[in-house]
Amino acid sequence: MAKKKFKIRAKLVFSGYFMVQANNKQEAEAAVKKDCGCLLGSVQSLNENVDWEFDTHGNIVLNKNKEQEGV
């Protein structure tokens, strides 16, 4: 019997935090949204007032409601 291909939707979730120097929490959240990001293999901030601590290995979360067969 031939094997089938399955498209399994999943999310890679990285947990951690950004340490932000700001005047208030709203300003700190805005700085993270605007200046921080993550690519596979790299976490970075474009803002010199932001430091970060994140695991470099994400957790896999499967979306079992959207699995498709034969894709």
Side-chain angles (χ1 to χ4, degrees):
M1 178 180 244
K3 292 184 179 182
K4 299 177 183 178
K5 287 186 180 182
F6 294 88
K7 182 177 183 179
I8 307 298
R9 296 202 178 269
K11 294 179 183 179
L12 288 173
V13 179
F14 294 85
S15 297
Y17 59 87
F18 291 99
M19 293 294 296
V20 183
Q21 291 182 340
N23 292 317
N24 55 52
K25 186 173 181 177
Q26 291 78 19
E27 185 179 294
E29 288 174 348
V32 169
K33 286 181 182 179
K34 179 179 178 258
D35 297 326
C36 302
C38 179
L39 299 172
L40 289 177
S42 173
V43 176
Q44 59 185 331
S45 171
L46 302 175
N47 186 326
E48 64 186 32
N49 293 317
V50 177
D51 195 11
W52 58 270
E53 180 65 39
F54 276 85
D55 291 336
T56 55
H57 294 86
N59 296 315
I60 296 175
V61 179
L62 298 180
N63 186 348
K64 294 189 177 194
N65 294 329
K66 301 221 175 189
E67 294 178 4
Q68 297 177 5
E69 182 180 333
V71 175

